[in-house]
């Protein structure tokens, strides 16, 4: 499951000893722009097993701020 809250995802990453995979996008399903909804089962398993997945929706104030914190300009 994609985590919408960066701070909570960081805590999950620490407790599970996993790095974060952060995707910035626009809209509720914007993560699908990067990780296609038809991604292979292998890719989905890799993301689930090895990472805490975070989706930052830049249409929201929190997503915009996180993008700014990461110095994303576009």
């Amino acid at each position: 499951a994609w985590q919408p809250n960066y701070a909570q995802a960081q805590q999950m990453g620490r407790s599970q000893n996993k790095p974060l995979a952060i995707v910035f996008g626009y809209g509720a399903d914007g993560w699908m722009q990067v990780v296609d909804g038809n991604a292979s089962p292998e890719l989905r398993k890799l993301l689930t097993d090895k990472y805490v997945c975070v989706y930052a929706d830049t249409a929201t104030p929190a997503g915009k701020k996180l993008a700014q914190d990461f110095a994303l300009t576009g």
Side-chain angles (χ1 to χ4, degrees):
W2 288 85
Q3 303 300 315
N5 185 296
Y6 180 68
Q8 288 177 351
Q10 284 182 306
Q11 290 176 349
M12 288 176 67
R14 281 191 291 273
S15 69
Q16 297 175 20
N17 199 29
K18 293 181 181 179
L20 303 184
I22 306 170
V23 172
F24 292 89
Y26 188 86
D29 292 327
W31 63 271
M32 292 178 70
Q33 296 170 11
V34 176
V35 181
D36 182 25
N38 296 318
S40 70
E42 294 83 11
L43 174 59
R44 290 175 192 226
K45 182 169 176 26
L46 174 74
L47 287 171
T48 302
D49 291 350
K50 302 291 183 181
Y51 298 91
V52 173
C53 299
V54 182
Y55 173 60
D57 180 358
T58 58
T60 67
K64 283 181 187 177
K65 178 165 181 349
L66 188 59
Q68 290 173 345
D69 291 347
F70 276 82
L72 298 178
T73 59

